[in-house]
């Protein structure tokens, strides 16, 4: 050990000779010598010494693998990967797996980089959580979907893999008497998905009653304000009720800013509501007095705005109490089977809830890799991440990107105009904003083409990065926040999956729980009631019936949050280390730095007031003609033919399911539907 602590190779060689001649096989001595040899890049000698340790059964591959994974040399990562693939002792050690994969990912060695494509062999020694986190969309996705041509089953499989890629892995266990319903189709019509926001103060949902007008209470408050304040340049904080159909919240914000002449940072809303749906929500905005007259003629496509009321607080993300939902799921077959006890299923979901995942819609338009690039201040990666479609993107996104790439030899502002012409009017807010900034607000984009900007050379790369920084930071702060939330939401999903897969649905020591508006660490002794320690160890509570898994939380990363004091907390740091975001708690703006404040989110969510109604959809029932049964052909009958159906045919009924329920803020209705309906593999 003394010789190994020296910094001279000769001393290490002497230590190795002495060690190999010893009859007493001390693991600490061996690892001291191995560590010394690796510091001097004497890897062959280190491998020989480790082989001797294995021969005498005083070490296993997992211990050696951890050391290899921490090496800065790529050839040792390759050796570590071989050990992980072969050795089955690493099944429960995702930290070592992530260290190896992170090292391989960042390696510049071509021979090691090839391993990324062949890394599927690692699946045998890697948990599903780690596996999905590393591969994301790239390995688990199906080919790009064309919604007009692809069969419904493939779309269903595609959605299933998309969810897996974003960490949506676990489901609640069912008893033998309860069965999930067969798959159906949601959002066939936008009116099948209705969302009404629940006000925080009244704990009730609301409707739009006075389109383009102040509410009676709002008129009274406005009159008082105008009497006391005569300055026309003063802005009044107004809350409006917005009802929209087939429109994004970002499009509504964009319309309000253009009509009222205000900045996007002066518009506040509790959260993005679904675009292919009918939704009702509150929006707050700072409106100058001179613009108040414009409220009466407010015309925004696919939306109605009214019930204006002066308020004191702008609200913002998460300031509502929750949301009410009414969802119709169509084209469900075989629901008449006696095995489907819907009352038992609703009782199960109401009592046990579901894993409180962030739904896949959080990641569609705001991919997590854009949030990673923003945190690392790699703005060229962020811009390219928004413009480049994933395999799950809509056809227009692919078409726009093809035009953008084919125009790479034109001046960048001209290429941006061409790509912009391919975007739909009421979609692609972020992509549209980026391309408009390149076309009209960035002088450097007039003097350089995309192909020249991406050529090797320090000057070109600096100019491209400078252009991307400007156009990305021109996005409204709330839009940039969404890219960060997409990344942190994906991270949360994986941690929640790992928590349930590893520890089940009971509280364990090291869990974090939210109780009495504070966060505590769980300390469970085998012979005592659970104890809760405050995060600073200053408060100790002994609880009896008030704490359960439904109080358990996992943090959304940000300043001052703490992580569970067990393997999930360790894995969170490893995941962020893999992404290169560990310790980053601020992001850039044009004129200031924004701090990222973390929150705590409950692992499980229980719906309230849930009801389910089943009706037969007679107009969509499939009819199978007997003479086609043998050949395997199916016919879709018209409503008229169904009424006149003869004895030569038999009907396969189709069913609609209508589900009404409420969720607290942050809950995703699609995740409740995932709990009620089957996945493709069930």
């Amino acid at each position: 050990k003394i010789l190994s602590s020296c910094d001279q190779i000769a001393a290490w060689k002497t230590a190795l000779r002495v060690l190999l001649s010893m009859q007493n096989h001390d693991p600490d001595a061996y690892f001291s010598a191995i560590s010394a040899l690796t510091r001097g890049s004497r890897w062959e000698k280190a491998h020989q010494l480790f082989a001797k340790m294995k021969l005498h059964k005083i070490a296993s591959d997992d211990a050696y693998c951890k050391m290899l994974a921490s090496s800065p040399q790529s050839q040792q990562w390759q050796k570590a990967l071989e050990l992980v693939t072969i050795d089955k002792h690493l099944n429960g050690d995702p930290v070592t797996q992530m260290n190896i994969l992170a090292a391989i990912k960042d390696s510049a060695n071509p021979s090691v980089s090839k391993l990324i494509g062949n890394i599927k062999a690692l699946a045998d020694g890697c948990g599903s959580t780690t596996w999905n986190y590393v591969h994301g969309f790239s390995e688990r996705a199906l080919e790009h979907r064309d919604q007009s041509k692809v069969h419904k089953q493939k779309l269903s499989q595609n959605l299933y893999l998309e969810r897996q890629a974003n960490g949506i892995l676990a489901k609640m266990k069912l008893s033998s008497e309860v069965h999930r319903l067969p798959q159906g189709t949601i959002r066939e019509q936008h009116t099948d998905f209705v969302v009404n926001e629940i006000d925080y103060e009244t704990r009730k949902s609301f409707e739009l009653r006075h389109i383009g007008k102040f509410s009676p209470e709002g008129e009274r408050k406005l009159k008082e304000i105008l009497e006391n304040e005569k300055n026309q340049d003063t802005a009044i904080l107004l809350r409006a009720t917005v009802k929209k159909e087939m429109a994004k919240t970002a499009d509504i914000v964009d319309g309000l800013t253009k009509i009222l002449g205000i900045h996007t940072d002066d518009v506040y809303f509790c959260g993005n509501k679904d675009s292919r749906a009918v939704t009702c929500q509150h929006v707050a905005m700072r409106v100058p007095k001179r613009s108040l007259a414009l409220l009466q003629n407010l015309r925004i496509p696919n939306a109605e705005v009214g019930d204006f009321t002066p308020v004191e607080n702008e609200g913002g993300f998460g300031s509502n109490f929750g949301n009410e939902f009414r969802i119709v799921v169509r084209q469900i077959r075989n629901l008449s089977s006696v095995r489907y006890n819907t009352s038992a299923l609703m009782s199960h979901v109401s009592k046990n809830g579901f894993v409180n995942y962030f739904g896949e819609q959080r990641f569609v338009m705001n991919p997590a890799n854009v949030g990673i690039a923003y945190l690392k201040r790699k703005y060229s990666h962020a811009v390219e991440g928004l413009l480049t479609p994933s395999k799950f993107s809509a056809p227009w996104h692919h078409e726009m990107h093809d035009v953008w790439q084919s125009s790479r030899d034109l001046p960048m502002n001209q290429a941006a105009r061409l790509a912009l012409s391919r975007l739909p009017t009421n979609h692609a807010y972020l992509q549209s904003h980026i391309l408009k900034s390149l076309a009209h607000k960035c002088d450097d984009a007039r003097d350089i083409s995309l192909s020249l900007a991406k050529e090797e050379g320090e000057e070109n790369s600096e100019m491209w990065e400078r252009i991307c920084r400007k156009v990305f930071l021109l996005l409204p702060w709330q839009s940039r926040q969404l890219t960060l939330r997409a990344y942190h939401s994906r991270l949360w999903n994986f941690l929640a999956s790992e928590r349930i897969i590893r520890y089940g649905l009971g509280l364990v020591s090291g869990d974090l729980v939210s109780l009495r508006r504070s966060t505590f660490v769980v300390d469970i002794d085998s012979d005592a009631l659970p104890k809760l320690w405050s995060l600073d160890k200053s408060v100790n509570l002994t609880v009896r019936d008030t704490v359960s898994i439904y109080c358990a939380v996992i943090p959304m990363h940000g300043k001052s949050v703490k992580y569970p004091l067990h393997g999930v907390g360790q894995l969170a740091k490893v995941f962020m280390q893999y992404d290169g975001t560990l310790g980053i708690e601020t992001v850039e703006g044009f004129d200031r730095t924004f701090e990222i404040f973390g929150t705590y989110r409950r692992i499980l969510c229980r719906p309230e007031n849930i009801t389910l109604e089943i009706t037969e959809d007679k107009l969509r029932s499939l009819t199978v003609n007997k003479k086609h049964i043998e050949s395997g052909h199916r016919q879709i009958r018209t409503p008229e033919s169904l009424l006149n159906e003869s004895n030569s045919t038999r009907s396969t009924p189709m069913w609609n399911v209508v589900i009404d329920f409420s969720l607290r803020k942050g809950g995703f209705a699609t995740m409740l539907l995932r709990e009620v309906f089957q996945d493709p593999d069930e």
Side-chain angles (χ1 to χ4, degrees):
K1 290 181 181 179
I2 294 172
L3 289 167
S4 298
S5 65
C6 298
D7 289 329
Q8 297 178 5
I9 295 176
W12 301 337
K13 289 182 177 179
T14 304
L16 182 61
R17 262 198 319 272
V18 172
L19 185 62
L20 293 176
S21 65
M22 291 172 58
Q23 297 301 316
N24 178 26
H25 305 295
D26 180 6
D28 290 340
Y30 275 98
F31 273 111
S32 294
I34 288 176
S35 179
L37 289 166
T38 57
R39 289 201 304 272
S41 298
R42 298 298 191 268
W43 283 100
E44 287 304 317
K45 291 291 185 182
H47 294 329
Q48 292 174 15
L49 189 56
F50 179 71
K52 182 177 175 65
M53 294 178 68
K54 287 191 68 176
L55 181 65
H56 293 286
K57 298 181 179 180
I58 58 175
S60 61
D61 280 345
D62 55 349
Y64 191 45
C65 196
K66 290 179 182 179
M67 188 183 69
L68 291 171
S70 63
S71 163
Q73 298 180 355
S74 57
Q75 61 266 34
Q76 308 317 321
W77 304 330
Q78 186 169 4
K79 182 76 173 177
L81 180 67
E82 293 169 1
L83 289 173
V84 174
T85 306
I86 297 169
D87 187 58
K88 302 304 179 184
H89 294 294
L90 288 175
N91 282 348
D93 188 10
V95 175
T96 299
Q97 296 155 7
M98 290 299 296
N99 284 340
I100 297 164
L101 296 175
I104 292 171
K105 181 194 71 166
D106 295 333
S107 171
N109 188 324
S111 63
V112 177
S113 298
K114 289 179 182 178
L115 292 170
I116 298 175
N118 301 321
I119 209 168
K120 290 183 179 180
L122 187 61
D124 291 336
C126 184
S128 59
T129 307
T130 307
W131 169 254
N132 281 275
Y133 191 88
V134 172
H135 288 278
F137 287 101
S138 59
E139 294 293 331
R140 303 303 300 267
L142 295 175
E143 291 299 319
H144 161 58
R145 64 183 181 187
D146 182 346
Q147 296 190 11
S148 63
K149 298 179 181 179
V150 180
H151 190 270
K152 172 185 154 185
Q153 182 62 33
K154 187 175 181 181
L155 285 175
S156 174
Q157 181 73 12
N158 209 337
L159 174 63
Y160 176 61
L161 295 181
E162 182 180 0
R163 286 176 171 175
Q164 284 191 315
N166 286 306
I168 304 171
L169 305 174
K171 273 190 173 184
M172 305 293 281
K173 292 183 179 180
L174 300 179
S175 64
S176 58
E177 296 81 18
V178 182
H179 301 276
R180 293 188 173 92
L181 303 182
Q183 288 187 324
T185 302
I186 65 170
R187 304 180 203 265
E188 185 177 273
Q189 307 165 17
H190 73 276
T191 53
D192 288 347
F193 208 98
V194 180
V195 188
N196 290 323
E197 209 167 67
I198 301 176
D199 185 70
Y200 188 84
E201 294 180 358
T202 63
R203 301 291 200 269
K204 295 180 180 179
S205 61
F206 48 85
E207 297 179 352
L208 177 60
R209 299 182 182 277
H210 307 90
I211 301 174
K213 299 179 181 179
F214 279 79
S215 66
E217 181 185 3
E219 288 183 349
R220 179 181 57 79
K221 290 183 177 180
L222 179 64
K223 184 177 180 180
E224 293 177 0
I225 293 173
L226 295 178
E227 288 176 353
N228 297 328
E229 179 61 63
K230 303 296 184 181
N231 188 350
Q232 290 298 309
D233 293 329
T234 304
I236 300 175
L237 182 62
L238 297 179
R239 186 186 68 194
T241 300
V242 177
K243 182 179 180 181
K244 63 181 183 66
E245 299 185 21
M246 293 293 291
K248 296 181 180 179
T249 304
D251 296 331
I252 305 303
V253 173
D254 195 42
L256 290 172
T257 57
K258 289 178 179 178
I259 295 172
L260 300 175
I262 58 179
H263 196 270
T264 51
D265 289 342
D266 291 326
V267 182
Y268 314 89
F269 50 92
C270 298
N272 284 287
K273 297 292 184 286
D274 300 80
S275 56
R276 187 173 174 78
V278 179
T279 69
C280 189
Q281 68 183 118
H282 279 153
V283 174
M285 49 195 171
R286 298 189 184 277
V287 182
K289 289 181 180 179
R290 60 178 178 274
S291 301
L292 290 175
L294 299 174
L295 295 174
Q296 296 180 358
N297 300 314
L298 210 54
R299 298 288 183 271
I300 299 177
N302 301 326
E304 296 175 336
V305 187
D307 287 335
F308 303 109
T309 305
V311 291
E312 296 181 358
N313 298 317
E314 63 268 8
F317 266 91
S319 58
N320 62 320
F321 184 76
N323 295 285
E324 272 185 0
F325 297 89
R326 183 179 181 85
I327 299 174
V328 182
V329 183
R330 300 182 183 274
Q331 301 186 48
I332 305 173
R333 303 181 191 179
N334 303 322
L335 257 186
S336 56
S337 172
V338 294
R339 73 191 294 261
Y340 297 114
N341 186 337
T342 56
S343 61
L345 179 60
M346 290 300 98
S347 177
H348 161 80
V349 174
S350 180
K351 178 181 177 181
N352 299 299
F354 57 95
V355 186
N356 197 19
Y357 288 124
F358 291 93
E360 65 278 354
Q361 59 267 47
R362 171 62 63 97
F363 313 102
V364 174
M365 298 307 297
N366 301 287
N369 62 314
V370 177
I372 295 174
Y374 186 23
L375 285 166
K376 297 165 75 172
R377 303 189 180 187
K378 294 184 176 180
Y379 295 104
S380 58
H381 294 177
V383 170
E384 290 168 2
L386 287 174
L387 297 181
T388 304
S390 73
K391 293 184 179 181
F392 300 103
S393 297
W396 59 259
H397 201 161
H398 290 266
E399 185 179 355
M400 177 274 294
H401 186 256
D402 291 342
V403 172
W404 171 247
Q405 289 296 319
S406 63
S407 307
R408 58 189 298 116
D409 293 326
L410 296 174
M412 201 177 297
N413 62 333
Q414 294 183 26
R417 290 192 191 99
L418 289 173
L420 192 60
S421 66
R422 303 295 176 143
L423 292 180
T425 306
N426 295 326
H427 297 281
Y429 174 77
L430 296 178
Q431 291 77 9
S432 176
H433 204 290
I434 289 288
L435 292 173
K436 286 179 180 178
S437 296
L438 283 170
H440 306 296
K441 298 181 181 180
C442 189
D443 294 336
D444 290 338
R446 302 172 185 172
D447 306 324
I448 190 171
S449 65
L450 183 63
S451 57
L452 183 61
K454 291 193 173 185
E455 284 184 1
E456 293 186 3
E458 185 176 347
E459 184 177 349
N460 289 336
S461 62
E462 286 182 358
M463 177 178 285
W464 174 233
E465 190 67 28
R466 186 169 63 249
I467 291 172
C468 290
R469 179 182 181 274
K470 181 174 182 178
V471 298
F472 187 81
L473 294 183
L474 280 172
L475 286 171
W477 165 236
Q478 288 189 333
S479 297
R480 283 180 278 135
Q481 267 187 309
L482 290 177
T483 67
L484 299 176
R485 287 195 177 94
Y487 169 54
H488 290 144
S489 299
R490 183 173 183 265
L491 177 64
W492 190 97
N493 280 358
F494 277 104
L495 296 179
S497 293
E498 182 68 16
R499 165 61 184 79
I500 293 172
I501 293 169
R502 185 182 292 198
Y503 301 115
L505 293 177
L507 285 179
V508 297
S509 290
D511 272 336
L512 301 182
V513 296
S514 179
L515 197 66
R516 303 175 188 175
R517 297 189 177 182
S518 299
T519 304
F520 298 89
V521 180
V522 177
D523 182 10
I524 298 179
D525 297 325
S526 58
D527 57 347
L529 292 169
K531 294 180 180 178
L532 301 183
W533 290 93
S534 60
L535 294 179
D536 60 0
K537 293 286 185 179
S538 61
V539 179
N540 178 13
L541 298 177
T542 300
V543 295
R544 295 184 179 274
D545 301 320
T546 54
V547 64
S548 69
I549 187 63
Y550 296 98
C551 302
V553 296
I554 289 177
M556 284 281 287
H557 182 70
K559 190 173 182 180
S560 303
V561 299
K562 303 293 183 181
Y563 283 88
L565 302 183
H566 47 52
V568 173
Q570 186 183 22
L571 194 61
K573 295 177 182 178
V574 172
F575 281 165
M576 287 185 283
Q577 189 172 15
Y578 177 82
D579 293 325
T581 60
L582 184 63
I584 301 178
E585 296 179 348
T586 60
V587 290
E588 270 192 316
F590 262 128
D591 52 356
R592 64 189 178 106
T593 299
F594 293 91
E595 291 185 327
I596 304 169
F597 292 98
T599 59
Y600 294 93
R601 181 179 175 89
R602 293 186 187 273
I603 298 174
L604 300 180
C605 175
R606 285 190 283 200
E608 299 174 1
N609 306 318
I610 183 169
T611 61
L612 184 145
E613 180 185 356
I614 298 176
T615 58
E616 183 177 357
D617 191 346
K618 295 183 179 180
L619 296 182
R620 289 182 176 272
S621 292
L622 292 178
T623 304
V624 183
N625 193 308
K626 283 186 176 180
K627 67 181 181 181
H628 290 285
I629 291 176
E630 292 182 359
S631 62
H633 292 104
R634 290 192 174 189
Q635 289 183 331
I636 299 180
R637 299 290 194 189
T638 63
E640 292 78 8
S641 64
L642 283 173
L643 294 175
N644 301 318
E645 189 174 336
S646 66
N647 293 329
S648 64
T649 61
R650 64 180 182 183
S651 176
T652 301
M654 302 284 275
W655 304 86
N656 297 336
V657 171
V658 182
I659 305 179
D660 293 276
F661 57 93
S662 300
L663 295 178
R664 295 290 182 92
K665 61 182 180 182
F668 280 75
T670 50
M671 295 298 98
L672 180 140
L673 296 179
R674 174 179 174 267
E675 194 66 36
V676 173
F677 293 89
Q678 298 171 1
D679 280 332
D681 62 341
E682 291 186 85

